[in-house]
Amino acid sequence: MQTTEQDKQFMREAIRLADESVRHGGGPFGAVIVKDGEVVAGSSNSVTIDNDPTAHAEVNTIRQACRKLGTFDLSGCTIYTSCEPCPMCLGAIYWARIGRIFYGNTRKDARDIEFADDFIYEELDRPLSDRTVPIVPLLRDEALHSFRLWAAKEDKTEY
């Protein structure tokens, strides 16, 4: 995929947000979401500031963009993130239907400064019975009731 000067400009904004985050007590990660050549949202990592382990730059930016655009579907948007997304952020990007991802640092670069996401990638490849955190099925027959209600609901909003 070709990159443009505009792509570089948006990535520099994500990097600027990462730098600013470090100066203000957050993690060294920033992201911007762009639609039709305009920045819709930009944020940084605020895990330690907000005491929220999900407050990664990409997730914060997705939340901000969805509020601003009034939708949970960010089709037609591009995300520029200062680092290769972790598994959680990558999942959020896919759920939001963002069409392209540009990143700066690699996950190896992140590991080199002790942000090790590789263990999550490794965990996902393991059978449930071999994972570090036990994952135990419970009350599936009762839980299926909610899925049946959803399947039968005629006026649901698909996502």
Side-chain angles (χ1 to χ4, degrees), residues 19-146:
D19 290 349
E20 185 178 296
S21 181
V22 172
R23 285 192 291 275
H24 293 99
F29 306 96
V32 296
I33 292 176
V34 173
K35 185 170 186 168
D36 299 327
E38 299 291 327
V39 173
V40 174
S43 192
S44 60
N45 178 292
S46 61
V47 168
T48 57
I49 294 167
D50 295 338
N51 293 316
D52 179 352
T54 69
H56 290 200
E58 298 91 337
V59 172
N60 287 343
T61 305
I62 288 168
R63 290 173 178 160
Q64 191 182 93
C66 288
R67 279 192 303 271
K68 183 172 181 181
L69 296 174
T71 183
F72 54 82
D73 184 343
L74 298 178
S75 295
C77 291
T78 299
I79 190 165
Y80 298 82
T81 180
S82 65
C83 187
E84 183 178 353
C86 75
M88 176 186 71
C89 293
L90 188 59
I93 290 165
Y94 276 91
W95 282 120
R97 297 185 181 105
I98 293 171
R100 293 188 311 164
I101 305 166
F102 289 94
Y103 67 92
N105 295 308
T106 67
R107 67 189 206 207
K108 181 189 178 311
D109 297 329
R111 184 183 65 229
D112 290 347
I113 61 165
E114 300 183 15
F115 284 93
D117 299 330
D118 285 342
F119 83 94
I120 299 173
Y121 286 103
E122 292 165 7
E123 283 285 299
L124 292 173
D125 284 339
R126 292 181 183 162
L128 294 179
S129 61
D130 294 342
R131 293 193 183 169
T132 304
V133 176
I135 300 177
V136 183
L138 182 64
L139 298 178
R140 178 175 178 254
D141 290 338
E142 291 179 38
L144 281 171
H145 182 262
S146 302

